[in-house]
Every structure is written in structure tokens, then in C-alpha cells.
């Protein structure tokens, strides 16, 4: 549902990067999990956990580095009653 869509912005700091200064993929996945959980909680009005992520797409072919801002968007695609 569109009214449950969440948009989050994360500024990349040095602690989010690998030794080469590029955004660590694990950090990106963690931020994605936080965003999807926030969307689920906005939808149902209760604490939630992320069971699955159906799709993750990257709008541009770039390598995010320290100082860049990442925009994450999440919208629930399926709502169930159990995990």
C-alpha cells in the first residue's frame, strides 16, 4: 500500500565503508532491512520483523563513498498474520 511507503536517507560515514572507502554491502542491506521494517510497522501499527525482501533495485550504477547520501524506499508487497 502506497500510504505505508517509507523513504529513508542515510549519509555514508567512514564507519559504513570498507578499507577502500566504498560503502560496505552489509551496511546497505542493514539499512534496507530497517527501511522495510519501518514500512511494515507503518502499515500495521505494531512491531514487526522482516521475513523476506522481494526485490532490491539500484537506480544508478555508482559506487557510494563517504559523504554521499543513500535514499532507500520500501513499500509492503504482502501482509500476512504469521512469520
Amino acid at each position: 500500500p502506497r500510504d505505508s511507503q517509507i523513504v529513508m536517507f542515510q549519509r555514508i560515514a567512514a564507519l559504513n565503508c570498507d578499507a577502500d572507502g566504498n560503502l560496505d554491502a552489509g551496511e546497505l542491506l542493514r539499512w534496507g532491512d530497517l527501511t522495510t521494517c519501518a514500512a511494515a510497522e507503518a502499515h500495521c501499527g505494531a512491531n514487526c520483523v522482516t521475513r523476506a525482501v522481494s526485490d532490491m533495485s539500484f537506480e544508478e550504477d555508482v559506487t557510494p563513498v563517504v559523504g554521499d547520501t543513500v535514499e532507500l524506499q520500501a513499500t509492503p508487497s504482502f501482509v500476512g498474520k504469521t512469520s
Side-chain angles (χ1 to χ4, degrees), residues 37-63:
C37 187
E41 290 176 353
H43 178 75
C44 70
N47 290 336
C48 295
V49 296
T50 304
R51 181 173 177 254
V53 175
S54 61
D55 183 40
M56 183 178 282
S57 62
F58 301 92
E59 298 298 319
E60 298 178 32
D61 185 23
V62 297
T63 303

Side-chain angles (χ1 to χ4, degrees), residues 9-75:
F9 296 90
Q10 292 286 345
R11 173 77 106 199
I12 300 172
L15 61 97
N16 308 123
C17 296
D18 61 20
D20 295 325
N22 299 319
L23 177 61
D24 182 74
E27 280 296 305
L28 182 60
L29 293 173
R30 187 176 73 82
W31 292 342
D33 182 51
L34 292 172
T35 307
T36 58
C37 187
E41 290 176 353
H43 178 75
C44 70
N47 290 336
C48 295
V49 296
T50 304
R51 181 173 177 254
V53 175
S54 61
D55 183 40
M56 183 178 282
S57 62
F58 301 92
E59 298 298 319
E60 298 178 32
D61 185 23
V62 297
T63 303
V65 295
V66 173
D68 288 347
T69 300
V70 176
E71 178 182 345
L72 300 110
Q73 298 180 17
T75 305

